[in-house]
mmCIF file of all heavy atoms in Angstrom:
data_model
loop_
_atom_site.group_PDB
_atom_site.id
_atom_site.type_symbol
_atom_site.label_atom_id
_atom_site.label_comp_id
_atom_site.label_asym_id
_atom_site.label_seq_id
_atom_site.Cartn_x
_atom_site.Cartn_y
_atom_site.Cartn_z
ATOM 1 N N ARG A 84 -33.460 -6.092 15.313
ATOM 2 C CA ARG A 84 -34.388 -7.139 15.719
ATOM 3 C C ARG A 84 -33.867 -8.081 16.734
ATOM 4 O O ARG A 84 -34.430 -9.152 17.055
ATOM 5 C CB ARG A 84 -34.818 -7.910 14.488
ATOM 6 C CG ARG A 84 -35.723 -7.023 13.525
ATOM 7 C CD ARG A 84 -36.045 -7.842 12.296
ATOM 8 N NE ARG A 84 -34.897 -7.769 11.390
ATOM 9 C CZ ARG A 84 -34.669 -8.706 10.428
ATOM 10 N NH1 ARG A 84 -35.571 -9.613 10.220
ATOM 11 N NH2 ARG A 84 -33.646 -8.559 9.719
ATOM 12 N N GLY A 85 -32.656 -7.756 17.244
ATOM 13 C CA GLY A 85 -31.992 -8.622 18.210
ATOM 14 C C GLY A 85 -31.256 -9.857 17.715
ATOM 15 O O GLY A 85 -30.832 -10.767 18.511
ATOM 16 N N LEU A 86 -31.046 -9.875 16.350
ATOM 17 C CA LEU A 86 -30.358 -11.046 15.647
ATOM 18 C C LEU A 86 -28.868 -10.634 15.663
ATOM 19 O O LEU A 86 -28.431 -9.467 15.340
ATOM 20 C CB LEU A 86 -30.829 -11.276 14.379
ATOM 21 C CG LEU A 86 -32.377 -11.552 14.201
ATOM 22 C CD1 LEU A 86 -32.797 -11.633 12.807
ATOM 23 C CD2 LEU A 86 -32.640 -12.925 14.949
ATOM 24 N N VAL A 87 -28.010 -11.667 15.813
ATOM 25 C CA VAL A 87 -26.572 -11.557 15.719
ATOM 26 C C VAL A 87 -26.191 -11.563 14.279
ATOM 27 O O VAL A 87 -26.646 -12.430 13.550
ATOM 28 C CB VAL A 87 -25.835 -12.706 16.420
ATOM 29 C CG1 VAL A 87 -24.314 -12.612 16.288
ATOM 30 C CG2 VAL A 87 -26.186 -12.626 17.962
ATOM 31 N N ARG A 88 -25.437 -10.547 13.886
ATOM 32 C CA ARG A 88 -24.986 -10.332 12.452
ATOM 33 C C ARG A 88 -23.526 -10.045 12.488
ATOM 34 O O ARG A 88 -22.868 -9.674 13.385
ATOM 35 C CB ARG A 88 -25.679 -9.193 11.808
ATOM 36 C CG ARG A 88 -27.236 -9.381 11.717
ATOM 37 C CD ARG A 88 -27.655 -10.250 10.678
ATOM 38 N NE ARG A 88 -29.112 -10.196 10.620
ATOM 39 C CZ ARG A 88 -29.826 -11.302 10.122
ATOM 40 N NH1 ARG A 88 -29.216 -12.355 9.737
ATOM 41 N NH2 ARG A 88 -31.144 -11.193 10.135
ATOM 42 N N LYS A 89 -22.892 -10.254 11.240
ATOM 43 C CA LYS A 89 -21.558 -9.845 10.976
ATOM 44 C C LYS A 89 -21.485 -8.330 11.209
ATOM 45 O O LYS A 89 -22.422 -7.603 10.800
ATOM 46 C CB LYS A 89 -21.071 -10.096 9.670
ATOM 47 C CG LYS A 89 -20.865 -11.656 9.304
ATOM 48 C CD LYS A 89 -20.146 -11.831 8.023
ATOM 49 C CE LYS A 89 -21.070 -11.359 6.938
ATOM 50 N NZ LYS A 89 -20.583 -11.658 5.515
ATOM 51 N N HIS A 90 -20.411 -7.980 11.799
ATOM 52 C CA HIS A 90 -20.219 -6.475 12.014
ATOM 53 C C HIS A 90 -19.978 -5.840 10.637
ATOM 54 O O HIS A 90 -19.184 -6.397 9.778
ATOM 55 C CB HIS A 90 -19.088 -6.210 12.939
ATOM 56 C CG HIS A 90 -19.016 -4.843 13.414
ATOM 57 N ND1 HIS A 90 -18.828 -3.717 12.678
ATOM 58 C CD2 HIS A 90 -19.138 -4.467 14.776
ATOM 59 C CE1 HIS A 90 -18.888 -2.664 13.416
ATOM 60 N NE2 HIS A 90 -19.075 -3.027 14.741
ATOM 61 N N PRO A 91 -20.615 -4.771 10.332
ATOM 62 C CA PRO A 91 -20.371 -4.075 8.970
ATOM 63 C C PRO A 91 -18.923 -3.675 8.809
ATOM 64 O O PRO A 91 -18.399 -3.739 7.594
ATOM 65 C CB PRO A 91 -21.213 -2.805 9.106
ATOM 66 C CG PRO A 91 -22.249 -3.068 10.109
ATOM 67 C CD PRO A 91 -21.634 -3.951 11.139
ATOM 68 N N ALA A 92 -18.177 -3.462 9.804
ATOM 69 C CA ALA A 92 -16.769 -3.207 9.708
ATOM 70 C C ALA A 92 -15.960 -4.341 9.174
ATOM 71 O O ALA A 92 -14.845 -4.199 8.558
ATOM 72 C CB ALA A 92 -16.162 -2.647 11.005
ATOM 73 N N LEU A 93 -16.496 -5.579 9.254
ATOM 74 C CA LEU A 93 -15.813 -6.747 8.736
ATOM 75 C C LEU A 93 -15.831 -6.731 7.210
ATOM 76 O O LEU A 93 -14.696 -6.993 6.555
ATOM 77 C CB LEU A 93 -16.558 -8.002 9.200
ATOM 78 C CG LEU A 93 -15.899 -9.371 8.812
ATOM 79 C CD1 LEU A 93 -14.428 -9.450 9.358
ATOM 80 C CD2 LEU A 93 -16.708 -10.514 9.343
ATOM 81 N N GLN A 94 -16.901 -6.219 6.563
ATOM 82 C CA GLN A 94 -16.995 -6.092 5.088
ATOM 83 C C GLN A 94 -16.079 -5.047 4.689
ATOM 84 O O GLN A 94 -15.423 -5.098 3.645
ATOM 85 C CB GLN A 94 -18.343 -5.915 4.591
ATOM 86 C CG GLN A 94 -18.487 -6.087 3.100
ATOM 87 C CD GLN A 94 -18.073 -7.537 2.598
ATOM 88 O OE1 GLN A 94 -18.524 -8.495 3.125
ATOM 89 N NE2 GLN A 94 -17.188 -7.519 1.607
ATOM 90 N N ALA A 95 -16.088 -3.938 5.409
ATOM 91 C CA ALA A 95 -15.195 -2.760 5.189
ATOM 92 C C ALA A 95 -13.822 -3.166 5.160
ATOM 93 O O ALA A 95 -12.917 -2.872 4.306
ATOM 94 C CB ALA A 95 -15.385 -1.601 6.044
ATOM 95 N N PHE A 96 -13.399 -4.013 6.160
ATOM 96 C CA PHE A 96 -12.056 -4.465 6.323
ATOM 97 C C PHE A 96 -11.651 -5.325 5.119
ATOM 98 O O PHE A 96 -10.507 -5.188 4.424
ATOM 99 C CB PHE A 96 -11.889 -5.292 7.587
ATOM 100 C CG PHE A 96 -10.389 -5.887 7.721
ATOM 101 C CD1 PHE A 96 -9.373 -5.108 8.043
ATOM 102 C CD2 PHE A 96 -10.278 -7.213 7.520
ATOM 103 C CE1 PHE A 96 -8.104 -5.723 8.126
ATOM 104 C CE2 PHE A 96 -9.016 -7.800 7.634
ATOM 105 C CZ PHE A 96 -7.945 -7.060 7.950
ATOM 106 N N ARG A 97 -12.562 -6.242 4.669
ATOM 107 C CA ARG A 97 -12.289 -7.167 3.637
ATOM 108 C C ARG A 97 -12.086 -6.380 2.253
ATOM 109 O O ARG A 97 -11.200 -6.621 1.451
ATOM 110 C CB ARG A 97 -13.429 -8.239 3.446
ATOM 111 C CG ARG A 97 -13.461 -9.260 4.418
ATOM 112 C CD ARG A 97 -14.662 -10.176 4.179
ATOM 113 N NE ARG A 97 -14.656 -11.317 5.155
ATOM 114 C CZ ARG A 97 -15.734 -11.912 5.516
ATOM 115 N NH1 ARG A 97 -16.929 -11.660 4.811
ATOM 116 N NH2 ARG A 97 -15.708 -12.925 6.401
ATOM 117 N N ASP A 98 -13.090 -5.509 2.027
ATOM 118 C CA ASP A 98 -13.047 -4.754 0.798
ATOM 119 C C ASP A 98 -11.746 -3.880 0.629
ATOM 120 O O ASP A 98 -11.079 -3.838 -0.371
ATOM 121 C CB ASP A 98 -14.274 -3.785 0.694
ATOM 122 C CG ASP A 98 -15.573 -4.560 0.558
ATOM 123 O OD1 ASP A 98 -15.505 -5.851 0.239
ATOM 124 O OD2 ASP A 98 -16.591 -3.944 0.709
ATOM 125 N N ASN A 99 -11.397 -3.158 1.733
ATOM 126 C CA ASN A 99 -10.250 -2.348 1.684
ATOM 127 C C ASN A 99 -8.910 -3.115 1.709
ATOM 128 O O ASN A 99 -7.981 -2.740 1.062
ATOM 129 C CB ASN A 99 -10.192 -1.289 2.787
ATOM 130 C CG ASN A 99 -11.324 -0.226 2.457
ATOM 131 O OD1 ASN A 99 -11.157 0.570 1.584
ATOM 132 N ND2 ASN A 99 -12.542 -0.283 3.079
ATOM 133 N N SER A 100 -8.938 -4.293 2.340
ATOM 134 C CA SER A 100 -7.745 -5.122 2.325
ATOM 135 C C SER A 100 -7.538 -5.710 0.907
ATOM 136 O O SER A 100 -6.420 -5.731 0.405
ATOM 137 C CB SER A 100 -7.816 -6.351 3.275
ATOM 138 O OG SER A 100 -7.953 -5.815 4.622
ATOM 139 N N ALA A 101 -8.608 -6.065 0.271
ATOM 140 C CA ALA A 101 -8.476 -6.593 -1.152
ATOM 141 C C ALA A 101 -8.031 -5.398 -2.048
ATOM 142 O O ALA A 101 -7.126 -5.647 -2.939
ATOM 143 C CB ALA A 101 -9.767 -7.136 -1.692
#
Side-chain angles (χ1 to χ4, degrees):
R84 290 178 283 158
L86 300 173
V87 176
R88 301 280 186 208
K89 290 187 300 187
H90 197 294
L93 186 58
Q94 192 62 47
F96 176 75
R97 285 181 182 155
D98 292 347
N99 286 286
S100 294

